Amino acid sequence: MDEIINEDTQLSEVLEILGKVKPESELARHCPGSGYASESIFSFSHCGNYYWIVLICDKRTFAFKHISPDWIRTYANLILSSAAVCVEWNMNHYITDWSVEQDKFCGNYADRKMVRAV
């Protein structure tokens, strides 16, 4: 990310993207918070800035992160394949922290029906 842009400009770009991608959504602006993602959107603005935009479950709001193509290559599959994604955001809806949850199997592997790839 060669050029640093301020969070107000980023927020404006994200709102423009959301207006095009989710025109039927009435997303409210909230104070800082945290929540689980109902949807993850990887997008870019007309200015060429890349964003990870998250719609938050049960809160009718969103959060976003300014990202790079390398960030997408590194984290997108992890985010998209995880059972749950939790984010924290500041008053400009900028993601300040995030984590993923993946379902793991606990129990006797002999009881589990599995398909073996060869």
Side-chain angles (χ1 to χ4, degrees):
M1 292 180 275
D2 299 325
E3 181 182 327
I4 304 292
I5 57 174
N6 69 39
E7 285 182 8
D8 289 336
T9 302
Q10 292 175 13
L11 180 57
S12 296
E13 288 182 344
V14 167
L15 288 170
E16 183 179 331
I17 292 166
L18 285 171
K20 291 176 182 174
V21 175
K22 295 287 187 180
E24 72 286 351
S25 296
E26 294 182 23
L27 298 172
R29 295 204 38 198
H30 289 272
C31 293
S34 64
Y36 284 95
S38 62
E39 290 184 55
S40 280
I41 301 166
F42 295 97
S43 186
F44 60 93
S45 70
H46 55 68
C47 297
N49 295 311
Y50 291 83
Y51 294 103
W52 172 37
I53 304 169
V54 176
L55 301 182
I56 307 298
C57 296
D58 303 326
K59 292 190 180 179
R60 289 187 39 236
T61 194
F62 66 96
F64 73 94
K65 182 171 184 64
H66 186 233
I67 58 174
S68 67
D70 285 337
W71 192 97
I72 293 171
R73 280 189 289 277
T74 303
Y75 297 112
N77 285 333
L78 174 66
I79 290 166
L80 295 174
S81 66
S82 295
V85 177
C86 184
V87 297
E88 293 180 3
W89 63 88
N90 65 17
M91 55 191 314
N92 287 328
H93 289 262
Y94 194 83
I95 295 173
T96 57
D97 198 11
W98 63 278
S99 62
V100 296
E101 178 182 316
Q102 295 182 325
D103 290 331
K104 302 297 182 202
F105 177 74
C106 295
N108 185 350
Y109 280 97
D111 296 338
R112 191 169 183 197
K113 294 187 188 287
M114 299 175 70
V115 176
R116 184 173 183 195
V118 287

